[in-house]
Short mmCIF file of all heavy atoms in Angstrom, two decimals:
data_model
loop_
_atom_site.label_atom_id
_atom_site.label_comp_id
_atom_site.label_asym_id
_atom_site.label_seq_id
_atom_site.Cartn_x
_atom_site.Cartn_y
_atom_site.Cartn_z
N ALA A 63 -2.52 26.75 -6.21
CA ALA A 63 -2.09 26.10 -7.45
C ALA A 63 -1.30 24.86 -7.05
O ALA A 63 -0.15 24.95 -6.62
CB ALA A 63 -1.24 27.03 -8.30
N THR A 64 -1.91 23.68 -7.19
CA THR A 64 -1.27 22.45 -6.70
C THR A 64 0.05 22.18 -7.40
O THR A 64 0.96 21.60 -6.81
CB THR A 64 -2.19 21.24 -6.90
OG1 THR A 64 -2.62 21.20 -8.26
CG2 THR A 64 -3.39 21.32 -6.00
N HIS A 65 0.16 22.58 -8.67
CA HIS A 65 1.39 22.26 -9.41
C HIS A 65 2.56 23.15 -8.99
O HIS A 65 3.68 22.93 -9.43
CB HIS A 65 1.15 22.37 -10.91
CG HIS A 65 0.82 23.75 -11.39
ND1 HIS A 65 -0.45 24.26 -11.31
CD2 HIS A 65 1.59 24.71 -11.97
CE1 HIS A 65 -0.46 25.49 -11.80
NE2 HIS A 65 0.77 25.79 -12.21
N LYS A 66 2.26 24.19 -8.16
CA LYS A 66 3.34 25.06 -7.69
C LYS A 66 3.59 24.93 -6.20
O LYS A 66 4.65 25.34 -5.71
CB LYS A 66 3.00 26.53 -8.01
CG LYS A 66 2.95 26.87 -9.49
CD LYS A 66 2.66 28.34 -9.68
CE LYS A 66 2.63 28.70 -11.17
NZ LYS A 66 2.32 30.13 -11.38
N MET A 67 2.65 24.38 -5.47
CA MET A 67 2.71 24.40 -4.01
C MET A 67 3.20 23.07 -3.47
O MET A 67 2.61 22.03 -3.73
CB MET A 67 1.33 24.74 -3.44
CG MET A 67 0.77 26.07 -3.93
SD MET A 67 -0.97 26.33 -3.53
CE MET A 67 -0.88 26.63 -1.77
N ASP A 68 4.28 23.14 -2.69
CA ASP A 68 4.75 21.92 -2.04
C ASP A 68 3.92 21.67 -0.79
O ASP A 68 2.98 22.42 -0.47
CB ASP A 68 6.25 22.01 -1.73
CG ASP A 68 6.59 23.19 -0.83
OD1 ASP A 68 5.67 23.70 -0.13
OD2 ASP A 68 7.76 23.62 -0.83
N GLU A 69 4.27 20.63 -0.06
CA GLU A 69 3.45 20.23 1.09
C GLU A 69 3.38 21.32 2.15
O GLU A 69 2.31 21.60 2.71
CB GLU A 69 4.02 18.94 1.69
CG GLU A 69 3.16 18.34 2.78
CD GLU A 69 3.70 17.01 3.28
OE1 GLU A 69 4.57 16.43 2.59
OE2 GLU A 69 3.27 16.58 4.35
N ASP A 70 4.52 21.95 2.45
CA ASP A 70 4.53 23.00 3.46
C ASP A 70 3.68 24.20 3.03
O ASP A 70 2.95 24.79 3.84
CB ASP A 70 5.96 23.46 3.73
CG ASP A 70 6.79 22.39 4.43
OD1 ASP A 70 6.17 21.54 5.11
OD2 ASP A 70 8.02 22.40 4.28
N HIS A 71 3.78 24.55 1.75
CA HIS A 71 3.00 25.67 1.23
C HIS A 71 1.51 25.36 1.30
O HIS A 71 0.69 26.23 1.64
CB HIS A 71 3.43 25.95 -0.21
CG HIS A 71 2.97 27.28 -0.71
ND1 HIS A 71 3.33 27.80 -1.94
CD2 HIS A 71 2.14 28.22 -0.16
CE1 HIS A 71 2.76 28.97 -2.11
NE2 HIS A 71 2.02 29.25 -1.05
N LEU A 72 1.14 24.11 0.98
CA LEU A 72 -0.26 23.71 1.06
C LEU A 72 -0.80 23.79 2.48
O LEU A 72 -1.93 24.23 2.70
CB LEU A 72 -0.42 22.29 0.52
CG LEU A 72 -0.45 22.12 -1.00
CD1 LEU A 72 -0.41 20.66 -1.37
CD2 LEU A 72 -1.69 22.79 -1.60
N LYS A 73 0.02 23.42 3.44
CA LYS A 73 -0.40 23.49 4.84
C LYS A 73 -0.62 24.93 5.28
O LYS A 73 -1.57 25.24 6.00
CB LYS A 73 0.63 22.80 5.73
CG LYS A 73 0.64 21.29 5.61
CD LYS A 73 1.69 20.67 6.52
CE LYS A 73 1.66 19.15 6.41
NZ LYS A 73 2.71 18.52 7.27
N LYS A 74 0.29 25.81 4.84
CA LYS A 74 0.12 27.24 5.17
C LYS A 74 -1.14 27.80 4.52
O LYS A 74 -1.90 28.56 5.14
CB LYS A 74 1.34 28.03 4.69
CG LYS A 74 2.61 27.75 5.47
CD LYS A 74 3.78 28.53 4.90
CE LYS A 74 5.08 28.20 5.64
NZ LYS A 74 6.25 28.90 5.06
N TRP A 75 -1.38 27.42 3.27
CA TRP A 75 -2.58 27.86 2.58
C TRP A 75 -3.83 27.35 3.29
O TRP A 75 -4.83 28.09 3.42
CB TRP A 75 -2.55 27.36 1.13
CG TRP A 75 -3.74 27.77 0.32
CD1 TRP A 75 -3.90 28.94 -0.38
CD2 TRP A 75 -4.95 27.03 0.14
NE1 TRP A 75 -5.13 28.97 -0.99
CE2 TRP A 75 -5.80 27.81 -0.69
CE3 TRP A 75 -5.40 25.79 0.59
CZ2 TRP A 75 -7.07 27.38 -1.06
CZ3 TRP A 75 -6.66 25.36 0.22
CH2 TRP A 75 -7.48 26.15 -0.60
N TYR A 76 -3.77 26.12 3.75
CA TYR A 76 -4.92 25.54 4.46
C TYR A 76 -5.21 26.29 5.75
O TYR A 76 -6.38 26.52 6.10
CB TYR A 76 -4.66 24.07 4.74
CG TYR A 76 -5.68 23.42 5.63
CD1 TYR A 76 -6.96 23.12 5.16
CD2 TYR A 76 -5.39 23.14 6.97
CE1 TYR A 76 -7.91 22.54 5.99
CE2 TYR A 76 -6.34 22.55 7.79
CZ TYR A 76 -7.59 22.26 7.30
OH TYR A 76 -8.52 21.69 8.12
N ARG A 77 -4.16 26.71 6.47
CA ARG A 77 -4.37 27.47 7.70
C ARG A 77 -5.05 28.81 7.39
O ARG A 77 -5.94 29.25 8.12
CB ARG A 77 -3.04 27.69 8.41
CG ARG A 77 -2.51 26.45 9.12
CD ARG A 77 -1.41 26.79 10.12
NE ARG A 77 -0.21 27.29 9.45
CZ ARG A 77 0.79 26.50 9.07
NH1 ARG A 77 0.71 25.19 9.27
NH2 ARG A 77 1.86 27.01 8.48
N LYS A 78 -4.63 29.44 6.30
CA LYS A 78 -5.28 30.70 5.89
C LYS A 78 -6.74 30.46 5.54
O LYS A 78 -7.62 31.26 5.89
CB LYS A 78 -4.55 31.29 4.69
CG LYS A 78 -3.13 31.76 4.96
CD LYS A 78 -2.49 32.28 3.68
CE LYS A 78 -1.04 32.66 3.88
NZ LYS A 78 -0.40 33.12 2.61
N LEU A 79 -7.00 29.36 4.83
CA LEU A 79 -8.37 29.02 4.45
C LEU A 79 -9.23 28.81 5.70
O LEU A 79 -10.40 29.25 5.75
CB LEU A 79 -8.37 27.77 3.58
CG LEU A 79 -9.77 27.22 3.26
CD1 LEU A 79 -10.40 28.03 2.13
CD2 LEU A 79 -9.71 25.75 2.87
N THR A 80 -8.66 28.14 6.68
CA THR A 80 -9.39 27.88 7.93
C THR A 80 -9.84 29.19 8.58
O THR A 80 -11.00 29.34 8.97
CB THR A 80 -8.51 27.07 8.90
OG1 THR A 80 -8.13 25.84 8.28
CG2 THR A 80 -9.27 26.77 10.18
N TRP A 81 -8.93 30.15 8.67
CA TRP A 81 -9.27 31.44 9.27
C TRP A 81 -10.30 32.18 8.42
O TRP A 81 -11.21 32.84 8.96
CB TRP A 81 -8.02 32.30 9.44
CG TRP A 81 -7.21 31.88 10.62
CD1 TRP A 81 -5.99 31.28 10.63
CD2 TRP A 81 -7.59 32.02 12.00
NE1 TRP A 81 -5.57 31.02 11.91
CE2 TRP A 81 -6.54 31.47 12.78
CE3 TRP A 81 -8.71 32.55 12.64
CZ2 TRP A 81 -6.59 31.44 14.16
CZ3 TRP A 81 -8.75 32.53 14.04
CH2 TRP A 81 -7.70 31.97 14.78
N PHE A 82 -10.19 32.08 7.11
CA PHE A 82 -11.18 32.71 6.23
C PHE A 82 -12.58 32.17 6.52
O PHE A 82 -13.55 32.93 6.65
CB PHE A 82 -10.82 32.48 4.76
CG PHE A 82 -11.95 32.72 3.81
CD1 PHE A 82 -12.39 34.02 3.54
CD2 PHE A 82 -12.61 31.66 3.20
CE1 PHE A 82 -13.45 34.24 2.66
CE2 PHE A 82 -13.67 31.88 2.34
CZ PHE A 82 -14.10 33.18 2.07
#
Side-chain angles (χ1 to χ4, degrees):
T64 52
H65 64 279
K66 294 182 179 179
M67 302 169 73
D68 59 21
E69 187 176 344
D70 291 335
H71 195 175
L72 281 171
K73 288 180 179 178
K74 290 178 183 178
W75 180 87
Y76 172 74
R77 284 196 294 269
K78 294 178 184 178
L79 173 79
T80 302
W81 282 111
F82 163 73

